Amino acid sequence: MAFRATAFNDPKVVELLKKEFICVGIAHNGAGRRKDAEGDFARKLIGKGGTLQGLHVINTKGDLVGYVYDFRPQSVLAMLNKTLKNYEHVEAPPIDFKDKDKRFAMPKDSLVVFTTTKILAGHDPVKAAKGTIQYDMENAWKTSMGREHLWVRKDEVQALLKGELPESLQKRIMRYHLVDNTRGTPTGWTDSEIKKMDLKLKDGRLVGRVHLETKDGKRGYEADLLGFIEVKDGKVTRFDVVAHGEFWGQGAHTPGAPKGRFPLAIAFTLGERSDPLYNLVPDAVRCYADYLR
Amino acid sequence: MTRFHVTAIVAALSAASLFAQEPTKSGLSLADFEKLHKELQPPDNELWRSIPWHVSIIEAREAASKAKKPIFVWVASGEPLGCG
């Protein structure tokens, strides 16, 4: 999220990217693990810059022609301009991408619900001086919203249309979406860490309470849920839900949580098909093989 | 019927009655829901979202081939466009 608040929050960087480049975002541990053409092509560049992460420029053959891993807009601009100055387009044959790695393919006729997560209080004030790149990064670390996509299977959509909330969907929401993903990829919950899952859908209104907690008690979330899942003419037309409660602890890849218990809210909203990020594979799919169970 | 059976039946009926009297509810009011749901919507004017991002590097490659443009690839641990 630091790049969004720094380099990608700079009008000059954004304008140049929009005008002169075709832009894509990938996870080295997502696309890089795919067993298909996407994975083969991604592996051509992953690690070529010297680290697994960063900002790369490649040609259509996959050759690395520019790289920087720096949040400062001027560094990113310098790399982009230098690359453009020397860039020569190369013709490369089309790549057959019909056979996609099924682990990363959105199930047919499924529904996408966007989720956002926010820590409402508890972080110490930003220590870095205002106007510095450090301030932007620390501020992003402490105030950014976590984002994720919830995939709802076709059979679960059919259940929602009948006014039912299937257990498989309840558990997916619990295990992979009631998490603190505000500082990166979160750690989900196991079945045994679901201490209480009391959700009811009646007349389009979802109410409930949940209690999630690790065996050692170091990480947990106790929350109330309220929302509206509405259907019309055989379609889910609304999926607005909020979870709000106290979270404590942090995941393996998300250090820096506020100390003790802190208020955490998560919102669910039906995804817009016109959104360019609608087809983004949920990060939880990359992390958990049983996501769609 | 023994005293044990009567006690067991009374206990079971009491438990069932308690369960029935405790409907699922939420500590959130409608006003809480509306406030939080609004607060958690991403701002419309996020600059990074104005970039026409692709979510597939193969699709980006196709577009770059047609436009004869270089491909800018943001690589992260976890989906850079989605998580965090």
Side-chain angles (χ1 to χ4, degrees):
Chain A
M1 87 289 283
F3 271 118
R4 294 177 197 162
T6 53
F8 300 144
N9 197 32
D10 182 272
K12 284 182 184 167
V13 172
V14 170
E15 264 324 293
L16 193 58
L17 287 173
K18 285 160 77 171
K19 191 176 170 203
E20 303 290 351
F21 295 83
I22 300 295
C23 301
V24 59
I26 62 167
H28 67 78
N29 42 6
R33 287 198 292 117
R34 291 178 67 128
K35 292 177 179 169
D36 57 16
E38 180 89 5
D40 292 341
F41 195 74
R43 283 187 288 277
K44 286 186 175 192
L45 75 108
I46 290 169
K48 293 290 189 295
T51 73
L52 288 173
Q53 305 187 67
L55 309 178
H56 306 64
V57 179
I58 59 170
N59 62 24
T60 48
K61 277 172 69 182
D63 303 324
L64 186 71
V65 294
Y67 174 79
V68 71
Y69 192 12
D70 192 327
F71 297 94
R72 292 171 299 180
Q74 62 270 33
S75 302
V76 178
L77 266 178
M79 184 277 280
L80 295 177
N81 281 317
K82 187 180 171 192
T83 304
L84 277 177
K85 203 173 170 186
N86 303 318
Y87 187 73
E88 284 181 26
H89 178 71
V90 292
E91 295 293 340
I95 293 175
D96 185 354
F97 190 32
K98 284 191 199 98
D99 292 325
K100 296 183 182 177
D101 188 331
K102 289 187 174 54
R103 294 175 300 166
F104 296 88
M106 189 193 299
K108 194 170 180 292
D109 297 325
S110 56
L111 193 72
V112 179
V113 176
F114 293 173
T115 78
T116 45
T117 309
K118 194 171 182 184
I119 290 176
L120 302 173
H123 272 303
D124 294 333
V126 177
K127 291 188 183 98
K130 254 189 174 173
T132 64
I133 192 83
Q134 289 80 8
Y135 177 90
D136 291 340
M137 291 174 71
E138 190 184 341
N139 190 49
W141 188 255
K142 291 178 173 175
T143 61
S144 285
M145 268 196 277
R147 299 162 200 244
E148 177 64 301
H149 288 184
L150 160 68
W151 277 353
V152 184
R153 295 188 321 236
K154 182 182 176 181
D155 61 301
E156 294 164 342
V157 172
Q158 295 303 320
L160 291 176
L161 293 175
K162 288 190 273 182
E164 298 162 3
L165 188 64
E167 188 177 330
S168 57
L169 178 58
Q170 290 187 42
K171 281 202 168 177
R172 191 172 313 121
I173 290 171
M174 298 295 111
R175 290 188 60 196
Y176 307 118
H177 295 282
L178 296 188
V179 291
D180 175 10
N181 61 347
T182 58
R183 297 174 310 284
T185 299
T187 304
W189 308 98
T190 62
D191 273 339
S192 65
E193 289 168 348
I194 301 175
K195 306 299 181 194
K196 180 177 183 177
M197 180 176 81
D198 187 9
L199 298 181
K200 294 283 182 296
L201 178 63
K202 192 178 176 193
D203 301 329
R205 187 181 177 109
L206 185 148
V207 294
R209 284 180 172 163
V210 299
H211 176 191
L212 308 158
E213 187 169 347
T214 55
K215 195 177 174 185
D216 63 9
K218 287 184 177 171
R219 186 168 54 90
Y221 188 41
E222 286 183 292
D224 293 297
L225 283 93
L226 179 61
F228 300 90
I229 301 174
E230 294 170 359
V231 300
K232 191 179 178 186
D233 301 330
K235 284 183 179 169
V236 176
T237 54
R238 188 181 184 197
F239 198 118
D240 289 339
V241 176
V242 164
H244 175 263
E246 287 190 332
F247 198 99
W248 63 97
Q250 56 199 20
H253 308 293
T254 53
K259 291 180 186 72
R261 288 180 173 242
F262 54 90
L264 182 88
I266 300 160
F268 297 76
T269 310
L270 203 57
E272 291 279 348
R273 283 181 192 275
S274 59
D275 190 316
L277 302 188
Y278 185 85
N279 290 319
L280 194 70
V281 177
D283 211 35
V285 166
R286 177 182 67 76
C287 300
Y288 300 98
D290 64 350
Y291 177 80
L292 282 170
R293 184 179 64 178
Chain B
M1 191 177 283
T2 65
R3 183 184 288 180
F4 172 77
H5 282 120
V6 172
T7 308
I9 290 166
V10 169
L13 285 172
S14 300
S17 170
L18 271 177
F19 189 74
Q21 285 170 6
E22 194 182 19
T24 304
K25 51 189 176 184
S26 171
L28 288 174
S29 67
L30 188 58
D32 294 332
F33 161 80
E34 284 172 351
K35 178 179 175 290
L36 286 166
H37 200 265
K38 192 175 174 187
E39 189 179 336
L40 266 73
Q41 296 310 303
D44 290 335
N45 57 353
E46 290 178 302
L47 212 48
W48 75 276
R49 284 296 311 264
S50 71
I51 298 168
W53 294 103
H54 287 261
V55 298
S56 156
I57 198 164
I58 295 292
E59 287 169 15
R61 180 185 176 273
E62 263 183 43
S65 188
K66 281 180 193 157
K68 297 190 186 328
K69 287 181 177 179
I71 309 162
F72 176 81
V73 193
W74 177 14
V75 185
S77 298
E79 293 293 341
L81 302 171
C83 78

